[in-house]
Amino acid sequence: MASVRIRNVAKRFDSVVVMQDIDLDVADGEFIVLVGASGCGKSTLLRMIAGLEAITAGDIEIGGRRVNDLEPRERDVAMVFQSYALYPHLDVRENMSFSLRLRKRPDSEIERMVGGTASTLALDALLDRRPRALSGGQRQRVAMGRAIVRHPQLFLFDEPLSNLDAKLRVAMRTEIRALHQRLHATSIYVTHDQVEAMTMADRMVVMNAGRIEQIGRPLDVYDHPETLYVAQFIGSPAINVWRGPVEQGTLRAAPGATLAIDANVPPGATVAAAFRPEHVEIDGTGTIAARVDVVETLGPETYVYLEAGGLPVCARVDRTQRLSPGDPVRLRIAPAAIHLFDQGGRRLAA
Amino acid sequence: MATPAATLRIPRPAATPPLSIVGGGRIGGVFLVLTVLAVLGPFAWILVASFKYQIAIYSGEWPFTPTLSNYAQVLFGRRSDFLGNVVNSLVVASASTALVLVVGTLAAYSLHRFRWPAWVSAGFLGWTLVFHMIPVMTLIGPWYVAFRELGLYDTRIALILTHVTINLPMTVWLMRAFFREIPPEIEEAALVDGCRPLEAFRRVTLPLVVPGLIAAGILAFIFSWNEFPIALNLTSRELATVPVAIALFAQQYEIQHAQMAAASIISTIPAVILMALGQRFIVRGLTLGAVK
Amino acid sequence: MDFLNRTFRHWSLLPAVVLFVLLTAYPVANLVRMSVSTIEFAQGTETWTFTPLRNFALLRADEVIPPAVRNTLIFVVAAVAIEMVLGLALALLVAGVSRGKGLVRTVMILPILVPPVAIGSMWKLLYNYDFGIFNQALTALHLPPVNWLGSTSIALWSVILVDVWHWVPFVFLILFAAVEALPIDVLEAARVDGATRSQLLRRVVLPLLKPAIVVALLFRTILAFKVFDEVFLLTSGGPGTSTELVTLHLYKVFFEQNQLGYGALLSLALIAAILAFLLVGRQATKAVRV
């Protein structure tokens, strides 16, 4: 197992700069998730760590060794591809033992390692099958088995669960997490799904348009987003955002939609105020008048979509609270729960 | 997001693009150029020779004074029927292509769309495959006898029919491959909308396989134009096609090399034209047909 | 119109079947009849005489058959082997090039579309002892000129070279399309798994190309047996019998010696040989597929 240091990394395709100022330290045994929307550069960064893309500038070190000029096979990393990339002409056993056979390991050792990994992943019955005879979930496990068998310094995952149906995705999420706890393998995991990021990561790296927005533990990032982008990207349903000028401690987003702010904001400046649905209280004494639009009952909780002063708001309520579309209600939002961001999306000191 | 390039140090890229399996990059480029030269070289030399006086060819003169006399002699010379040969080739090629497209496409569609008992479809397709593999020369003998008996020896009809026969397997297999690419739901939608089978074919399916028709048509035309053994043996001087005329050049006691070069170049004109225009279709047709 | 619709499935297949049966099955049946007869055309009339043994006697006495068979086998094996190797090598080498692929594809179609007779006549000029470009180049380098088409030891290989030039582009196009269709992520996975270039080639690329290679091999072998036009133009079987091929000999028996009955016998033998070869080949490829 090894640590990974990424210093000042940038990437250029022809004349287009797609990534810059990437700095990241991954500790030995840590499970890091790179999360962001499509095109933010997370897969490109992963491929640069693997050696499948050239590093335009900056340094990447794996286990203390600078790997910029090393071929993928010299870096001792294993990768699980989004499409699984199993060798179609080999069966499961040969797929998993491929890297070992390349290194001319003795047959007994190969047998042992493949057999062990196969039973960990419940692939024993499938060892003689070809990839085309496997289901999506089975292929995914074979792809993981192929990576695990090698006991590499570093595991790389490129959106491995994207092609699975929802239920399978949830099941595999837990399995990968459990495997990580057993193997303590340094892992870098790429996904566009913020739920996967939140549930699986030791630390998250939120990326946007080739830059890192924020790095931190999932709950820290959730509770203290440093940019508006992070606040909006993490959390489902999305965080509420109201924009407007602040006058004397009050944000005026629209007539009838005002918030009490307890921060030092230059008067007249326009800010974005973000507050999570779970921090919106619906009771009879709140300061904001609103009307119920849509009620979504999910089971354990209920989300109410309202309109206040013409602006949309989402609130999470207990399932005991019975509301119907059209009901007039009053909202209360504690100033302490409001995150403030300036015009450029940067956090304002509270 | 633009950063001045000066702040980025750009070292030599470490990773090679994935598809450069053996060579790629420089080596691949060199071989690419060499291959193109090797393929075009002979053509170029013959092209040059066709514009040289015979004596200049013998002496290997370079540079040389170009002349059109070879082409003039071949096309318009008193002792030459080449223009007639060209007409013959055009007529036979066009007619046999039209005929084989109609017959072959209908057959391919019938086999694809309608449920025929296995012995019919497998039988016909297997039959065509077997005859595609047999050297044509084995059939020319009985054809010669049969056509003479029927009084069809040395007629355009004989040539056209035999050309259709040898091009039929390829046409059927190619059109079948193209028909297979059409989702069956489209035809079913047409039938639900009220089309009879013939209409569905004409209005819906046929327009969708136009690329296939073009590919098959081009290939059939070329193969008919190029065809030699049948034309050699089933026609006499008057109905001789272009390939036969070229062969005659080579069999003369004193070979007119310069004119033979010119005639050869002329015979490649359809190929060059169709290559320039229909390259996409041809490659798709060849590779699609090859994967059967 | 309704009748046409109802019978569409029938009359769409009928012309092809009729045409094909009339022009292939019937002649083949005729071959059998012809092979036991002697046929003469004299003054517009045709006479058939039943002479079963005569044609067999001609077969046994035919001294051209052994060299023709031998040459044909050498030709097919050598030409197809060289073409497959060159075509594969080129396809792999050119695959990594970023620009110029369209040009290559266009140019490579040319030899396939040009009349084989023209290819024969062109190379006849190229090979010419006195003024052909090869000998011109050799003399310019102070080397002795080679009698490409006139030397019994070299002539067959000169013919093979023409076939190679003719068909390598075809093999290249098929294999090149297959190489371009290789799944990139599988190749990347192999690189990450630790494969060197040669390991990648041997263990991943070539196995994945096997279907295309088999197709190209089959096609080329079938076509190689049918070669006629170029050889007819280049050497017509000579010098001596050094470039005599089975199809060429068949032509001469039919149309130069006018032995139509004997020729029919030869045709049947040839068809039988090819069918046997095909059956063996099919069994072999089935074994390889699994």
Side-chain angles (χ1 to χ4, degrees):
Chain A
M1 289 302 117
S3 60
V4 180
R5 277 173 51 122
I6 302 173
R7 281 272 168 281
N8 225 348
V9 162
K11 175 68 181 169
R12 227 176 50 154
F13 282 113
D14 290 331
S15 53
V16 180
V17 178
V18 298
M19 202 183 305
Q20 55 186 2
D21 299 329
I22 305 295
D23 283 294
L24 176 61
D25 276 328
V26 181
D28 189 356
E30 213 181 354
F31 195 105
I32 290 275
V33 175
L34 305 178
V35 64
S38 298
C40 68
K42 53 195 192 297
S43 282
T44 309
L45 182 58
L46 195 76
R47 287 166 64 85
M48 285 176 11
I49 299 173
L52 296 170
E53 298 280 356
I55 303 167
T56 312
D59 292 315
I60 296 184
E61 285 176 23
I62 301 178
R65 201 169 54 129
R66 182 172 177 275
V67 300
N68 288 39
D69 298 319
L70 294 181
E71 284 282 314
R73 63 185 158 85
E74 294 168 309
R75 301 190 185 197
D76 194 22
V77 299
M79 187 152 157
V80 180
F81 290 78
Q82 184 175 3
S83 65
Y84 319 132
L86 300 180
Y87 304 114
H89 60 294
L90 303 175
D91 62 33
V92 170
R93 181 184 282 113
E94 289 165 336
N95 258 282
M96 297 211 306
S97 60
F98 187 72
S99 55
L100 300 173
R101 283 183 290 126
L102 284 177
R103 287 170 180 70
K104 311 251 195 300
R105 312 298 292 165
D107 285 344
S108 52
E109 184 183 325
I110 297 181
E111 266 299 313
R112 193 173 42 86
M113 296 176 77
V114 171
T117 310
S119 44
T120 310
L121 293 169
L123 290 170
D124 304 86
L126 303 172
L127 285 173
D128 292 311
R129 289 219 205 151
R130 291 278 167 95
R132 61 172 176 267
L134 299 173
S135 71
Q138 290 167 334
R139 287 185 207 174
Q140 211 272 338
R141 276 183 283 147
V142 174
M144 295 205 355
R146 183 171 65 179
I148 292 172
V149 137
R150 291 180 44 195
H151 290 292
Q153 291 186 76
L154 179 62
F155 278 100
L156 303 173
F157 296 86
D158 192 356
E159 306 208 45
L161 305 182
S162 303
N163 293 350
L164 301 174
D165 64 64
K167 262 209 146 108
L168 203 49
R169 226 181 293 162
V170 174
M172 288 306 303
R173 232 168 53 198
T174 353
E175 254 194 65
I176 295 179
R177 192 67 203 154
L179 260 173
H180 176 255
Q181 272 156 3
R182 270 186 50 176
L183 299 175
H184 291 296
T186 314
S187 307
I188 304 181
Y189 185 104
V190 163
T191 180
H192 64 271
D193 184 337
Q194 52 104 22
V195 174
E196 271 177 39
M198 290 286 293
T199 55
M200 299 174 78
D202 289 335
R203 278 191 303 152
M204 270 182 356
V205 179
V206 182
M207 291 183 69
N208 176 30
R211 288 197 138 95
I212 295 183
E213 293 270 339
Q214 187 171 356
I215 306 177
R217 297 214 297 266
L219 282 180
D220 290 340
V221 175
Y222 184 85
D223 289 332
H224 303 289
E226 277 168 29
T227 67
L228 184 59
Y229 180 86
V230 174
Q232 287 180 300
F233 191 82
I234 304 291
S236 181
I239 202 170
N240 295 298
V241 178
W242 279 3
R243 287 185 170 81
V246 173
E247 302 272 350
Q248 293 153 339
T250 305
L251 171 78
R252 209 165 285 282
T258 57
L259 291 172
I261 313 283
D262 67 353
N264 287 335
V265 178
T270 306
V271 301
F275 46 98
R276 298 250 179 233
E278 59 263 28
H279 295 141
V280 179
E281 293 173 38
I282 300 183
D283 62 29
T285 62
T287 47
I288 306 166
R291 184 177 304 276
V292 175
D293 262 345
V294 176
V295 177
E296 278 182 2
T297 44
L298 266 78
E301 56 213 356
T302 298
Y303 287 101
V304 183
Y305 292 85
L306 314 115
E307 169 256 311
L311 295 178
V313 181
C314 176
R316 190 187 70 180
V317 299
D318 195 74
R319 58 181 292 173
T320 54
Q321 213 168 350
R322 297 213 178 282
L323 292 166
S324 309
D327 287 353
V329 296
R330 300 198 74 85
L331 307 175
R332 178 202 310 284
I333 305 162
I338 299 175
H339 306 279
L340 287 171
F341 302 95
D342 63 21
Q343 291 272 57
R346 280 179 298 276
R347 183 180 199 79
L348 287 173
Chain B
M1 258 206 65
T3 305
T7 64
L8 294 173
R9 291 172 296 111
I10 300 155
R12 194 174 43 84
T16 45
L19 209 49
S20 63
I21 302 156
V22 176
R26 292 257 174 74
I27 311 182
V30 166
F31 274 93
L32 191 150
V33 170
L34 283 180
T35 310
V36 170
L37 285 178
V39 168
L40 291 181
F43 288 113
W45 193 80
I46 301 289
L47 187 65
V48 163
S50 70
F51 287 116
K52 280 183 170 181
Y53 290 102
Q54 185 109 329
I55 317 166
I57 298 181
Y58 290 157
S59 64
E61 184 184 314
W62 185 272
F64 66 100
T65 37
T67 171
L68 289 175
S69 63
N70 298 319
Y71 287 96
Q73 281 295 322
V74 165
L75 289 172
F76 308 116
R78 260 176 301 126
R79 283 182 300 154
S80 162
D81 304 314
F82 203 74
L83 271 183
N85 296 325
V86 171
V87 169
N88 287 332
S89 277
L90 278 176
V91 168
V92 171
S94 310
S96 72
T97 300
L99 196 54
V100 83
L101 277 183
V102 169
V103 173
T105 307
L106 284 175
Y109 184 71
S110 183
L111 289 169
H112 162 78
R113 182 84 180 75
F114 303 120
R115 296 195 193 288
W116 289 96
W119 66 270
V120 172
S121 53
F124 180 74
L125 287 171
W127 191 263
T128 56
L129 200 57
V130 167
F131 276 97
H132 190 60
M133 300 183 194
I134 295 177
V136 144
M137 196 52 68
T138 55
L139 293 172
I140 297 183
W143 277 342
Y144 174 75
V145 171
F147 282 128
R148 276 202 82 151
E149 284 175 4
L150 290 171
L152 284 176
Y153 172 72
D154 199 20
T155 58
R156 293 228 175 96
I157 299 269
L159 266 188
I160 294 174
L161 285 178
T162 49
H163 281 193
V164 168
T165 310
I166 55 174
N167 279 328
L168 197 60
M170 177 210 67
T171 309
V172 169
W173 282 90
L174 197 54
M175 291 315 298
R176 237 181 117 228
F178 273 92
F179 281 130
R180 277 213 175 121
E181 298 218 320
I182 302 179
E185 294 87 45
I186 296 186
E187 286 191 4
E188 287 165 2
L191 292 175
V192 165
D193 274 349
C195 275
R196 309 293 305 281
L198 182 53
E199 276 185 274
F201 173 68
R202 201 169 50 87
R203 286 167 179 269
V204 175
T205 320
L206 207 52
L208 288 175
V209 292
V210 164
L213 287 172
I214 296 179
I218 290 178
L219 288 174
F221 186 88
I222 288 286
F223 290 148
S224 178
W225 175 276
N226 293 352
E227 198 284 320
F228 177 60
I230 303 177
L232 177 67
N233 296 307
L234 290 186
T235 64
S236 66
R237 202 176 146 83
E238 277 171 27
L239 286 183
T241 56
V242 168
V244 177
I246 295 182
L248 284 174
F249 271 110
Q251 287 174 328
Q252 292 160 343
Y253 184 62
E254 280 185 15
I255 300 183
Q256 305 284 342
H257 292 110
Q259 288 184 28
M260 187 161 95
S264 304
I265 294 290
I266 297 178
S267 74
T268 64
I269 289 180
V272 173
I273 294 178
L274 288 172
M275 174 188 83
L277 294 179
Q279 177 244 77
R280 262 186 316 135
F281 300 105
I282 298 174
V283 175
R284 194 170 160 214
L286 279 176
T287 45
L288 199 61
V291 180
K292 258 190 258 174
Chain C
M1 196 61 191
D2 186 49
F3 174 74
L4 281 181
N5 264 303
R6 268 185 294 118
T7 52
F8 184 37
R9 60 173 275 173
H10 296 102
W11 63 259
S12 52
L13 190 56
L14 201 63
V17 171
V18 165
L19 196 72
F20 221 64
V21 167
L22 275 184
L23 282 160
T24 58
Y26 179 63
V28 169
N30 246 3
L31 275 178
V32 178
R33 206 164 61 106
M34 285 164 69
S35 64
V36 292
S37 324
T38 310
I39 306 166
E40 259 136 33
F41 288 98
Q43 284 130 357
T45 52
E46 185 188 317
T47 42
W48 286 61
T49 4
F50 185 68
T51 57
L53 296 176
R54 179 161 174 270
N55 292 331
F56 275 98
L58 283 174
L59 176 61
R60 283 184 56 198
D62 194 336
E63 288 176 340
V64 182
I65 300 265
V69 171
R70 194 180 56 234
N71 288 336
T72 307
L73 285 175
I74 296 177
F75 177 86
V76 170
V77 170
V80 173
I82 299 175
E83 287 155 20
M84 291 300 300
V85 169
L86 278 182
L88 182 61
L90 278 175
L92 289 172
L93 282 168
V94 172
V97 175
S98 43
R99 291 179 307 154
K101 286 187 191 162
L103 173 68
V104 169
R105 261 203 295 269
T106 312
V107 166
M108 291 302 225
I109 306 178
L110 200 52
I112 307 171
L113 295 183
V114 166
V117 188
I119 295 183
S121 66
M122 282 179 9
W123 279 82
K124 198 173 172 85
L125 288 171
L126 289 168
Y127 276 142
N128 186 288
Y129 188 79
D130 299 307
F131 60 79
I133 186 134
F134 293 128
N135 282 351
Q136 277 193 14
L138 286 174
T139 28
L141 292 171
H142 300 294
L143 293 168
V146 176
N147 195 352
W148 302 99
L149 297 176
S151 152
T152 49
S153 45
I154 302 183
L156 185 61
W157 294 97
S158 305
V159 171
I160 291 177
L161 178 62
V162 175
D163 194 78
V164 166
W165 178 89
H166 188 177
W167 289 108
V168 163
F170 175 75
V171 175
F172 167 81
L173 283 175
I174 293 186
L175 294 180
F176 186 63
V179 168
E180 298 251 279
L182 287 175
I184 294 190
D185 55 353
V186 173
L187 298 175
E188 287 182 344
R191 282 174 70 203
V192 173
D193 264 353
T196 58
R197 269 233 180 101
S198 89
Q199 282 171 328
L200 192 65
L201 189 64
R202 261 189 314 123
R203 289 173 181 260
V204 183
V205 172
L206 286 179
L208 289 178
L209 286 178
K210 206 167 65 167
I213 293 179
V214 167
V215 164
L217 186 63
L218 235 76
F219 252 81
R220 264 314 299 145
T221 311
I222 294 169
L223 285 174
F225 273 112
K226 293 163 67 171
V227 71
F228 177 79
D229 308 20
E230 293 105 312
V231 188
F232 184 86
L233 246 291
L234 282 170
T235 59
S236 208
T241 55
S242 57
T243 60
E244 194 73 50
L245 297 182
V246 173
T247 47
L248 207 55
H249 185 55
L250 197 56
Y251 161 77
K252 289 181 181 173
V253 166
F254 267 125
F255 297 105
E256 283 180 9
Q257 300 170 17
N258 283 311
Q259 297 281 7
L260 296 168
Y262 170 47
L265 183 63
L266 269 184
S267 301
L268 284 176
L270 185 56
I271 294 177
I274 292 192
L275 284 179
F277 174 79
L278 274 178
L279 281 172
V280 168
R282 259 191 92 195
Q283 296 302 88
T285 45
K286 271 195 184 147
V288 168
R289 280 271 165 86
V290 173

